[in-house]
Amino acid sequence: MSSAQASARMAGVTGDAVVRVAGLAAAALDGLRSPRLATALDDVLTRRDGHRAEGRALAEALHAVIGDLPRDGVRPRVIGLRRALHAGRRPGAGEWTPEIAGRLPADVSRGIAGWLADAAALAAAEDRLPRVLAAERESGLNALLKAATDPGFRIALGGTSPVLAAELEKWIADPRRTPRTGTTTTLARYLARAVTKTSPLSTFTTSGPVLWRAGGPAVGTRPVDRSGAFELSYYHIRESIAAFVLGHPALSGRTPIALNASAQRLGEQVVFLRGFGMLGLLGGERYCAVPARPSVLALVELLGGEPEGLPRHVLRERLTAGDASLNEEVDAFLDHLLDAGLLVPGLPVAYPHEVLVGAAAWARQGMESEARALSVALERAAAALAARPAVGDPVSYRARREAVVSGLRELAGFAAPGDPQHAMFTTLTTVNVRDTAVAAEPPAVCSARAWRPVAGDLDLIRRWIAPFAPHLPARLALTELFGDRLRERGPLPVIAFYREYQRAVTAEDEIGAELRGSVVAPSARHPEDSVLDRVRRLSDVMADALAALSPYPRDAGEPGMSGPGTIGPSTTGPGTSEPGTSGPVTVPAEALRTAIAAYPPWVPEVRSISAYVQPAGSFGVVNALGTGFGSVRARLDHLTGRRGTGVADPGAGPIYAAFGSRFGISLNDHRRCLPYQVGGTPGLIGRDGAARLRIEDLVVRLDGESGLLGLATTGGREVRVVHTGAAAREFLPPFSLLLTVLSGDVPPLTILPPPHPSRAAPRDRRRDWPRLVVGSLVAGRAQTRFPAGDVPLPRQGEEESRFLLRLAEWRRAEGIPRRCFFRTRPEPESVAERLTTSPASWTQTQEKWHKPMYLDFGSWLLVRGFAAALRRPGTALVTFEEALPDPSAAQSGDHHVAELVLDVTAGSPL
């Protein structure tokens, strides 16, 4: 089979797959290890174990001797000697003397003498640890510096932590100037991340397309040209730039005015959403209404036929029919509706990410010299942002990144010092510029033969996760609350339903709390705790679905299945399970199919998922799940500049639509991957040619197949609205979030549902989860959780080598492998606490620490970072997760960690 044929056959299963390749080769971890120190620690612990065992054996031998001793002054001292041997401590001065040695059997005396000599050797070995650590510190820091000089790493660090990057550059310039301990510890953590993690939000990782071949290894990475794609990461900065340009005095009077895309007439009112498409944190999408007076209706009809809007003077002329005496009255009328939000000013651009280009072109039409100067400044900023520098020379790359900031800061000169835009432009730094490393050519060659079974099992998982879709409880609740009304009244315009929903969700009663919890914080509430019968019934379906994984723990309330050693390396491979052991749990695919067949109609399947998978032998290890429909590839195409062909509506079945708005977050930028769009970006008038669904054409109805509330067109065709952007769905504003709830195509983030706070196992003790294998998938890695207070931390004034010895002893006793991943957590929030915490704050505080971080207990540098993480305020739990695949087990020095993003969609040929 040719490469082209392999690609074509895999496309039916996975769409256009994306591969993410870690920025540094696995060999970079070698220098972070301290092999001599690890050997010395192991030697001390082995000596200790042998010494303790021998002491207990000698104590047992003395037990038989003591009974035969005369009851004189020697006997109590021998009893003390026995106690010392049993406790593993050195005998007191009177407990071991020549007299006592002579009173004991010769073999026992020789054994005790040897035991004391071993104790001296053990103490000497312990005393050597500080010197060994000192030598390893020097070599470890040299290795850290050598690895950190990698150009790609320096570039990525500059985008993530400019302050740390500056310290690194000073160290590179003068290697004799070793940075502070905190700096080297953080550098080591970033270096480990660059080797082991495939986060796409920086240049630590390269994202690119996949080249499929019929056979060969599952993934083979290869060197390709990489470039950095710049984006503005400041919330709503593009909308702010548009508003700034539209409101500039040199361009006044020419601003296009358009009708709010959500506006429609309902009875005696024209209703609309103020801030439609605006970031939820800024209070967007409020339901508003104005009386449907003839003047308002005439304006709605006029602008309804002008999707790109009209300049004020043109709009004024049409409304006054040329009667200049009405100009003042019409201007006041327009200003009133602009303030209300029924009318919106808009900058005509093709795509939100082209706002600088569109603003420059629009400003260029101004007659005043300042307008033309503003246009030139916007063009410079646009050119800097559009640059795609090679990920190569850190100095030139840094200059390109700083040029983006300089170009935007230049715009402050066109704003008055007291204006919000002036403050925004002047305070921008490189932290507000996100850059992602991408490759237009495939950075990996993958085997269709290796991945086809994985894709087939992922399709099974897609169907099995249906009860755990995060917004299904909310959809069930809405059906119970509003189903009878819709059954009596028929379909309801979606904006009218939104009004009724808002009344219910803001009510200070049990129903309001139920809706707020299930919509805003679905993972914080267990369906069994619902006040609604329909939602409580879901908990039974979930329990039956989890029962299919038996003997895997069905929920977090059950005790762990295994003890020490659970997350240790498997000696028999990822898919081996032996009953009665602490090995993996293997679930046959048929068990999941049986569970799926029993799902009721009101548990609809999620139609498309993306799965983030790493190869491990013949298995695929699933890291996470996300929205499918080709959304990840659509974002890659946007970043690489690849023009998509669009997606055609098949004309039958559900209509699939994405949001036209990016909700003020550039992470949501991507090429079109669904046939339709809903809404647009505030302050921008889209010219992307996308087919749009109007809000006035959408209704809420009862779905005939599932019996759930859902969306449809006024013509009766089912509609599903999907958030295809990369930003978390918690950032969606309320109306847009409601559309996704009513559509149902939101998968959970993981295959296994996270523990609910109300069902969590006791957090004051150890908890184990085994590895879970389903077919060719590792659906869950083995992990062990501890209260953070159970893990040894450095004591005040303690020598570092002594701490490392205590930690190593604890690790061995608990069966934690030397190499693993760890993550920390605060105490789980209640539903009420989660609802009062903004998405911005909890994502910023937990983003870095709830994700797995690589740890090698044989690296004093990484252990320092581990200890620092546990000391963070509020840390309550720490979880160790098996390193599968283990990045340090690579056979070749140039091996790079890689992760595939595979799309699996219902109806695709497998």
Side-chain angles (χ1 to χ4, degrees):
M1 185 189 302
S2 69
S3 297
Q5 289 173 323
S7 295
R9 289 188 59 182
M10 285 303 293
V13 177
T14 64
D16 290 324
V18 171
V19 65
R20 295 171 173 172
V21 181
L24 289 178
L29 292 175
D30 294 342
L32 298 186
R33 296 193 191 94
S34 307
R36 287 177 295 172
L37 177 63
T39 299
L41 291 172
D42 287 342
D43 176 63
V44 168
L45 294 177
T46 301
R47 286 173 182 263
R48 274 188 182 179
D49 291 342
H51 195 250
R52 287 169 181 163
E54 180 64 19
R56 293 190 183 101
L58 289 169
E60 187 65 25
L62 281 180
H63 179 71
V65 172
I66 291 173
D68 296 333
L69 290 175
R71 297 182 177 276
D72 55 12
V74 171
R75 181 185 174 111
R77 288 186 287 162
V78 174
I79 292 174
L81 172 62
R82 178 180 179 273
R83 289 172 178 167
L85 291 170
H86 191 274
R89 63 174 174 82
R90 192 171 188 83
E95 294 172 340
W96 181 245
T97 65
E99 178 188 5
I100 291 178
R103 299 280 293 273
L104 300 177
D107 59 331
V108 175
S109 292
R110 284 195 300 272
I112 295 174
W115 186 84
L116 290 171
D118 290 343
L122 173 60
E126 292 184 15
D127 290 342
R128 286 194 297 270
L129 289 177
R131 296 194 297 275
V132 176
L133 175 59
E136 291 284 62
R137 278 202 194 103
E138 184 176 355
S139 61
L141 290 173
N142 289 338
L144 174 63
L145 177 59
K146 180 180 178 181
T149 56
D150 177 83
F153 178 79
R154 292 161 65 187
I155 288 171
L157 191 65
T160 305
S161 178
V163 174
L164 186 62
E167 289 298 310
L168 174 59
E169 294 302 322
K170 294 177 185 176
W171 193 15
I172 292 173
D174 183 6
R176 295 170 300 178
R177 180 192 171 277
T178 304
R180 294 179 300 110
T181 297
T183 300
T184 54
T185 301
T186 307
L187 270 176
R189 177 166 59 85
Y190 271 104
L191 190 74
R193 168 189 168 185
V195 173
T196 63
K197 302 296 290 179
T198 53
S199 170
L201 304 184
S202 71
T203 51
F204 286 120
T205 298
T206 299
S207 299
V210 171
L211 176 61
W212 291 104
R213 287 182 178 163
V219 176
T221 59
R222 61 180 193 173
V224 292
D225 292 335
R226 302 183 296 153
S227 60
F230 293 132
E231 295 179 291
L232 303 179
S233 59
Y234 197 104
Y235 289 152
H236 273 289
I237 186 173
R238 298 179 299 196
E239 292 83 347
S240 297
I241 291 171
F244 162 67
V245 174
L246 291 172
H248 196 275
L251 299 166
S252 60
R254 298 182 54 254
T255 301
I257 296 175
L259 183 67
N260 186 310
S262 63
Q264 65 184 94
R265 181 177 181 176
L266 286 181
E268 298 305 312
Q269 292 182 320
V270 174
V271 299
F272 57 94
L273 302 175
R274 181 178 176 85
F276 182 35
M278 184 176 290
L279 181 66
L281 299 179
L282 302 181
E285 300 191 339
R286 285 180 291 166
Y287 180 95
C288 297
V290 297
R293 298 190 179 99
S295 57
V296 173
L297 294 176
L299 180 61
V300 169
E301 182 179 3
L302 172 60
L303 287 177
E306 300 287 348
E308 294 189 7
L310 294 170
R312 178 184 282 263
H313 68 277
V314 175
L315 188 56
R316 183 195 305 124
E317 184 176 347
R318 293 196 185 180
L319 291 175
T320 63
D323 186 350
S325 64
L326 298 175
N327 285 353
E328 186 174 343
E329 181 181 348
V330 167
D331 279 339
F333 174 61
L334 294 176
D335 288 338
H336 169 70
L337 295 182
L338 282 165
D339 289 340
L342 178 61
L343 302 182
V344 291
L347 185 70
V349 297
Y351 299 97
H353 65 275
E354 295 180 354
V355 63
L356 288 169
V357 174
W362 191 75
R364 198 181 305 122
Q365 301 172 20
M367 303 302 294
E368 297 184 19
S369 59
E370 188 172 358
R372 292 193 292 274
L374 175 58
S375 174
V376 172
L378 288 165
E379 287 175 346
R380 279 197 292 266
L385 186 63
R388 293 292 185 266
V391 180
D393 177 38
V395 176
S396 62
Y397 192 100
R398 189 183 309 122
R400 290 297 190 98
R401 184 188 283 138
E402 292 172 349
V404 177
V405 176
S406 298
L408 293 171
R409 283 180 176 171
E410 185 182 352
L411 300 178
F414 298 89
D419 289 347
Q421 288 91 348
H422 184 276
M424 177 185 70
F425 290 135
T426 55
T427 56
L428 288 174
T429 68
T430 54
V431 172
N432 304 118
V433 178
R434 178 191 305 108
D435 46 338
T436 305
V438 294
E441 294 298 317
V445 179
C446 299
S447 165
R449 183 183 302 118
W451 286 100
R452 190 172 303 282
V454 171
D457 289 330
L458 284 172
D459 187 64
L460 181 64
I461 292 295
R462 177 191 63 78
R463 296 159 55 210
W464 179 81
I465 60 175
F468 309 102
H471 290 311
L472 181 56
R475 197 175 180 193
L476 289 167
L478 292 172
T479 301
E480 182 160 340
L481 294 176
F482 297 100
D484 289 341
R485 273 178 272 181
L486 290 178
R487 202 171 283 110
E488 295 172 3
R489 295 157 51 183
L492 191 65
V494 68
I495 198 168
F497 178 83
Y498 177 58
R499 179 59 170 163
E500 295 193 21
Y501 160 78
Q502 280 195 316
R503 292 193 183 106
V505 81
T506 56
E508 294 299 327
D509 55 19
E510 285 186 327
I511 300 300
E514 173 86 16
L515 285 177
R516 288 192 295 275
S518 59
V519 173
V520 180
S523 63
R525 179 185 295 274
H526 197 285
E528 194 176 16
D529 298 330
S530 174
V531 298
L532 302 172
D533 177 67
R534 191 181 291 258
V535 180
R536 286 197 301 273
R537 283 160 51 198
L538 176 62
S539 65
D540 295 331
V541 180
M542 294 168 63
D544 290 342
L546 291 171
L549 305 181
S550 179
Y552 195 82
R554 289 178 58 180
D555 59 52
E558 295 188 356
M561 286 197 54
S562 47
T566 298
I567 67 170
S570 171
T571 59
T572 48
T576 301
S577 176
E578 298 179 15
T581 73
S582 61
V585 170
T586 298
V587 177
E590 192 56 38
L592 269 63
R593 293 191 186 97
T594 301
I596 294 167
Y599 291 169
W602 45 268
V603 180
E605 70 178 23
V606 177
R607 183 167 183 264
S608 184
I609 63 170
S610 59
Y612 300 76
V613 190
Q614 288 182 262
S618 60
F619 290 80
V621 185
V622 182
N623 291 330
L625 302 178
T627 300
F629 300 103
S631 57
V632 177
R633 178 56 187 263
R635 173 149 174 83
L636 174 65
D637 289 346
H638 159 71
L639 294 174
T640 58
R642 177 177 180 262
R643 293 288 178 181
T645 58
V647 181
D649 178 18
I655 292 175
Y656 279 88
F659 291 110
S661 175
R662 300 300 183 249
F663 305 107
I665 305 175
S666 57
L667 274 176
N668 289 326
D669 288 349
H670 60 282
R671 297 290 186 219
R672 284 178 55 201
C673 57
L674 292 176
Y676 288 89
Q677 287 189 359
V678 173
T681 300
L684 305 179
I685 299 174
R687 286 179 169 177
D688 55 7
R692 298 188 183 275
L693 285 178
R694 298 183 302 175
I695 298 300
E696 62 182 306
D697 292 334
L698 296 179
V699 297
V700 178
R701 69 174 187 183
L702 282 169
D703 179 72
E705 183 176 342
S706 67
L708 300 173
L709 262 61
L711 297 173
T713 64
T714 52
R717 190 174 169 193
E718 182 184 0
V719 173
R720 296 188 184 183
V721 180
V722 183
H723 173 46
T724 51
R729 53 182 172 262
E730 285 84 358
F731 287 96
L732 292 177
F735 178 76
S736 298
L737 182 58
L738 178 63
L739 295 184
T740 66
V741 170
L742 293 171
S743 300
D745 271 309
V746 179
L749 297 178
T750 57
I751 294 177
L752 296 171
H756 287 266
S758 61
R759 301 295 186 276
R763 293 185 290 275
D764 60 350
R765 66 194 69 167
R766 172 183 172 138
R767 173 79 164 92
D768 295 284
W769 289 266
R771 183 189 303 161
L772 176 64
V773 178
V774 179
S776 61
L777 299 176
V778 175
R781 293 176 173 89
Q783 53 186 286
T784 299
R785 189 188 71 196
F786 294 91
D790 286 2
V791 182
L793 287 175
R795 297 166 178 157
Q796 184 71 29
E798 183 180 28
E799 223 174 38
E800 188 173 12
S801 62
R802 296 291 177 181
F803 159 65
L804 292 174
L805 184 62
R806 283 195 301 111
L807 182 64
E809 186 171 33
W810 176 86
R811 179 190 68 78
R812 283 174 48 146
E814 297 292 348
I816 307 301
R818 191 184 300 275
R819 297 190 299 269
C820 57
F821 286 87
F822 80 93
R823 61 180 182 271
T824 61
R825 284 279 193 182
E827 287 289 349
E829 292 179 312
S830 66
V831 176
E833 290 171 331
R834 175 65 182 275
L835 291 174
T836 56
T837 307
S838 75
S841 62
W842 60 254
T843 53
Q844 288 169 1
T845 56
Q846 296 187 18
E847 181 179 9
K848 292 182 180 178
W849 303 101
H850 81 279
K851 295 182 179 180
M853 290 176 281
Y854 184 72
L855 173 61
D856 185 336
F857 281 97
S859 166
W860 61 271
L861 274 166
L862 294 182
V863 168
R864 277 185 178 178
F866 168 68
L870 262 62
R871 280 177 160 166
R872 286 177 57 84
T875 299
L877 302 169
V878 57
T879 300
F880 299 95
E881 187 175 88
E882 64 175 327
L884 182 71
D886 185 351
S888 298
Q891 300 298 315
S892 62
D894 61 349
H895 168 78
H896 285 252
V897 170
E899 173 187 71
L900 258 65
V901 186
L902 305 175
D903 270 17
V904 179
T905 301
S908 297
L910 297 179

